[in-house]
Amino acid sequence: MPETILTSEKPSNSSPLNPPSRIICHVCQKQFSQYTCPRCNSRYCSLHCYKSHNLRCTESFMQENVVEELRQLQTDDQTKRKMLEILKRVHLEEENDPLDEDVDDSTLSDETIQKILSGGEVNINDLSLEEKKRFQRALASGELSKMIEPWDPWWLKPAARTICLSKDGSRLVQPTVSPEDDPELNQPSEIPHGPEKALPSLCKLISTEPSPLLAVHLVDIVYSYCFTLRAYNGDWQSDALGSAMVVLSISCVLGQAAQPETVREVLCCCLEQTCSPAYRHIGGLQFGLTLVDDVTSFLSLGGPALICMLCDLQTMIVAAERELKSEKQSKLRKSEMKNKLKLAERKVYFIMCWVHEQPGEAWSSLATIVSAEKSSIMDQGSNKSFSKTEKNVAENKGKALIEEM
């Protein structure tokens, strides 16, 4: 049966009886598309087409995010204090550098700094021409990123090993481990809360047996969650809609309604997206392998941590749906995004209920599979291994999860 060539943006579902459809690149109209822009959902085939498909998605991407971050900055006492500490640190570094004594290379003027510290709103258009040049130069060189404190993922903290939920899957009122028993827990916790209400039984949600591939789909969802939180330095609340769209662009299960059948297929798809032109600047392959380790860590923590993660992801998607209402986009575009978010929210909730009913030993087995597949992929020693070619998918089709175990 010949392949179907499509030119629409609507993703296609493939199966052994229905060969995968191929979508033509929307930019060059010559090659088959391999990637999807996380901002406009345009399909493209290469870095060259990504750079030329939409000026707003490429050159204006960083500027828009910076402006939005400044606009949403909460000017409370804590924020002012942090900003003042950063400015003092930069000032001391400049004083200690004798090479810069005769050069005024401050990113912002004293007037602008005072406006920020006083709680005033600063727009990039308020900066002088010289300030804009310095700001963009500092942004491009990574100088500003050095001022951001590195974020430690909550799933790698000791407190994540002691997460407890009630028998019905809802959060507990009081923790079972006190700070006196574990001094490391006597710190502000960033562990997401579990569900507020009891999780229903799967038999109340569906009338048939759940798919045996849900474990594979969970790996895809956990990877996309870890990718997004690391990309946003743990602060998805600053841009819930943008964070949710990143999740959908990384996860083929949530964003494309795909049905991967093996852990290897999931990892290849996720690593392919991580190394795509839209995201390779974050860290590329090495960053992707770190995320695979994050997935293994999550699975090793067990059901309670997975439920808290899925609950946090559901909260992110719900917040994104609220932000979407105030977005200035076409009705058709907003309708498409709304439907995708709603569908993703339902999938996440269903997976959460499914996780709650699984035995604890299932997660250690799945963690072993993920770790083994990572080692197998690394042994191949070539970036070409992460391209989701038809050959790779065909090799994985029909291989049941129990066979991998």
Side-chain angles (χ1 to χ4, degrees), residues 260-272:
E261 298 181 2
T262 65
V263 172
R264 184 177 184 84
E265 183 181 349
V266 164
L267 294 183
C268 287
C269 291
C270 291
L271 290 172
E272 179 193 15

Side-chain angles (χ1 to χ4, degrees), residues 71-84:
R71 184 181 297 114
Q72 296 181 359
L73 186 63
Q74 299 296 324
T75 55
D76 52 15
D77 294 337
Q78 183 179 3
T79 303
K80 293 179 182 179
R81 185 169 59 255
K82 288 183 178 180
M83 179 62 70
L84 184 60

Side-chain angles (χ1 to χ4, degrees), residues 91-290:
H91 180 67
L92 290 175
E93 291 177 355
E94 291 177 349
E95 286 186 342
N96 295 332
D97 190 353
L99 297 177
D100 293 338
E101 289 182 354
D102 299 330
V103 180
D104 182 16
D105 197 24
S106 301
T107 304
L108 301 175
S109 65
D110 293 339
E111 180 182 354
T112 304
I113 292 175
Q114 289 299 325
K115 187 176 181 180
I116 295 175
L117 296 178
S118 63
E121 181 177 339
V122 178
N123 190 287
I124 193 171
N125 295 325
D126 297 333
L127 305 180
S128 65
L129 180 60
E130 186 62 27
E131 286 177 336
K132 288 182 180 179
K133 290 181 179 179
R134 290 174 177 172
F135 182 77
Q136 292 172 353
R137 186 162 57 246
L139 192 64
S141 65
E143 179 183 346
L144 295 181
S145 63
K146 298 178 182 178
M147 302 180 184
I148 302 176
E149 295 183 4
W151 176 71
D152 296 324
W154 64 264
W155 54 87
L156 299 181
K157 295 186 176 181
R161 299 194 298 266
T162 60
I163 299 176
C164 290
L165 301 174
S166 61
K167 291 184 178 181
D168 58 13
S170 60
R171 69 181 66 166
L172 292 174
V173 177
Q174 296 292 337
T176 57
V177 179
S178 62
E180 290 78 14
D181 297 332
D182 190 348
E184 291 186 275
L185 297 180
N186 194 20
Q187 301 176 358
S189 177
E190 298 179 2
I191 307 298
H193 296 295
E196 295 183 359
K197 299 180 180 179
L199 295 175
S201 173
L202 285 179
C203 62
K204 296 182 179 180
L205 300 178
I206 56 175
S207 58
T208 59
E209 287 294 322
S211 171
L213 300 176
L214 290 182
V216 176
H217 299 176
L218 176 65
V219 173
D220 172 271
I221 294 174
V222 175
Y223 184 102
S224 63
Y225 173 85
C226 295
F227 180 101
T228 304
L229 260 67
R230 282 189 178 273
Y232 278 83
N233 211 37
D235 185 22
W236 64 257
Q237 293 86 351
S238 62
D239 183 11
L241 181 57
S243 300
M245 297 311 295
V246 169
V247 170
L248 298 188
S249 65
I250 297 295
S251 171
C252 64
V253 172
L254 298 179
Q256 304 175 24
Q259 298 290 324
E261 298 181 2
T262 65
V263 172
R264 184 177 184 84
E265 183 181 349
V266 164
L267 294 183
C268 287
C269 291
C270 291
L271 290 172
E272 179 193 15
Q273 281 296 100
T274 303
C275 297
S276 67
Y279 294 121
R280 67 176 55 166
H281 65 280
I282 299 179
L285 175 58
Q286 191 59 45
F287 179 58
L289 296 177
T290 300

Side-chain angles (χ1 to χ4, degrees), residues 200-203 307 352-359:
S201 173
L202 285 179
C203 62
I307 291 177
M352 192 191 313
C353 297
W354 174 81
V355 168
H356 177 240
E357 295 188 0
Q358 303 310 304

Side-chain angles (χ1 to χ4, degrees), residues 8 17 41 51 62 81 87 124 189 215 234 318 325 347:
S8 67
L17 299 179
N41 280 340
K51 290 182 177 180
M62 188 63 68
R81 185 169 59 255
L87 294 174
I124 193 171
S189 177
V318 171
K325 296 179 180 179
K347 287 184 178 180

Side-chain angles (χ1 to χ4, degrees), residues 348-387:
V348 170
Y349 183 71
F350 180 82
I351 290 283
M352 192 191 313
C353 297
W354 174 81
V355 168
H356 177 240
E357 295 188 0
Q358 303 310 304
E361 56 269 18
W363 310 125
S364 58
S365 300
L366 186 57
T368 302
I369 294 174
V370 173
S371 180
E373 289 293 358
K374 177 196 172 185
S375 299
S376 175
I377 291 174
M378 292 179 64
D379 289 342
Q380 295 184 13
S382 173
N383 290 350
K384 295 180 180 179
S385 304
F386 307 116
S387 297

